[in-house]
Amino acid sequence: MSSQVDLASAVGWQDEDKPVSWNQRDLLLYAVGIGAKKDDFALINDKSWAPFPTYPVVLPFKGTSQDVVNFRKLMTGGNRAPGLPHFDPNRGVHGSQSIEILKPFPAVSGPGWKIKKRIVAVSENKSGIILEQESVLVDAQGTPYAKLYSASFNLGAKATGTNFSKRIAGPPQAKPVPKDRKPDWVVCLGAGIAYVKKAEKSKL
Ligand SMILES: *[C@@H]1O[C@H](CO)[C@@H](O)[C@H](O)[C@H]1NC(C)=O
Ligand SMILES: *[C@@H]1O[C@H](CO)[C@@H](O)[C@H](O)[C@H]1NC(C)=O
């Protein structure tokens, strides 16, 4: 943490690359963890099995660990980006999460995969400070497979005490939810609901 608070200087800051790895067991556990049932064969295991496409969202937390992740320890690591004030880890909220899938990823990573992270937006208002991070999953050759965007809302955090906002990148605009018809299929993933078109269902 820098002693000089200057939110603008944190935008664009590139973190160290984070090595990541996974195997098929991790993908199956993930599928069950997000609610796959015993007859969701395409998610659990059969001839048409494929990794669930949102899996990269957990990789910035997992890294290369083969054990459970100590989330609390990860969250209390402190800010290493310049210009940010102290954030109380007890008042951090996962504000939003997006994933842009660029390429299907393999069932077993093998060595050399990593996540390249940078801060792409910082904003402040009366409620606190929001940090948005971009994490790009790349293979050993540097080919990107997925781009993740996540926002952390640090309630009560204060820098200037006024409204501030700077952004250099963000998730692509999502397609609007059609208002004139019901979804063909609805899947509940944890707390969220994904609306999926019939044609896309086979890809999940
Ligand atoms: C601050 O921004 C957040 C996120 O956009 C919003 O939910 C909140 O209402 C804002 N607070 C104020 C006081 O404008
Ligand atoms: C900050 O933005 C909020 C919401 O847009 C507005 O109500 C408030 O007056 C602004 N505060 C300052 C100090 O400009």
Side-chain angles (χ1 to χ4, degrees), residues 6-12 83 122 164 166:
D6 171 20
L7 295 182
S9 68
V11 181
V122 179
F164 172 86
K166 185 177 174 191

Side-chain angles (χ1 to χ4, degrees), residues 43-145:
L43 303 181
I44 303 301
N45 212 348
D46 79 344
K47 288 196 291 284
S48 65
W49 179 83
F52 197 85
T54 56
Y55 177 72
V57 169
V58 303
L59 284 174
F61 303 105
K62 177 186 180 296
T64 55
S65 171
Q66 286 297 301
D67 206 338
V68 292
V69 172
N70 186 334
F71 187 73
R72 184 163 187 83
K73 208 168 147 196
L74 275 180
M75 289 303 106
T76 50
N79 309 317
R80 284 175 301 140
L84 299 178
H86 173 72
F87 291 149
D88 178 354
N90 295 314
R91 303 199 70 198
V93 178
H94 192 156
S96 69
Q97 179 71 57
S98 307
I99 180 169
E100 183 183 5
I101 297 158
L102 306 171
K103 250 170 109 69
F105 55 90
V108 179
S109 64
W113 288 69
K114 54 198 176 188
I115 298 257
K116 302 176 85 68
K117 291 194 226 178
R118 59 178 184 145
I119 294 178
V120 292
V122 179
S123 48
E124 177 176 8
N125 69 13
K126 219 175 154 194
S127 313
I129 295 177
I130 300 171
L131 280 193
E132 288 179 53
Q133 186 163 263
E134 177 195 73
S135 305
V136 185
L137 173 65
V138 300
D139 67 10
Q141 284 71 47
T143 306
Y145 281 69

Side-chain angles (χ1 to χ4, degrees), residues 5 26 38 45 58 74 78 81 98 101 123 126 131 153 162 173 176 179 182 188 193-194 204:
V5 173
D26 297 322
K38 63 183 191 307
N45 212 348
V58 303
L74 275 180
S98 307
I101 297 158
S123 48
K126 219 175 154 194
L131 280 193
F153 196 175
T162 55
Q173 199 69 38
K179 290 198 175 74
K182 286 188 180 155
C188 295
I193 294 180
L204 289 182

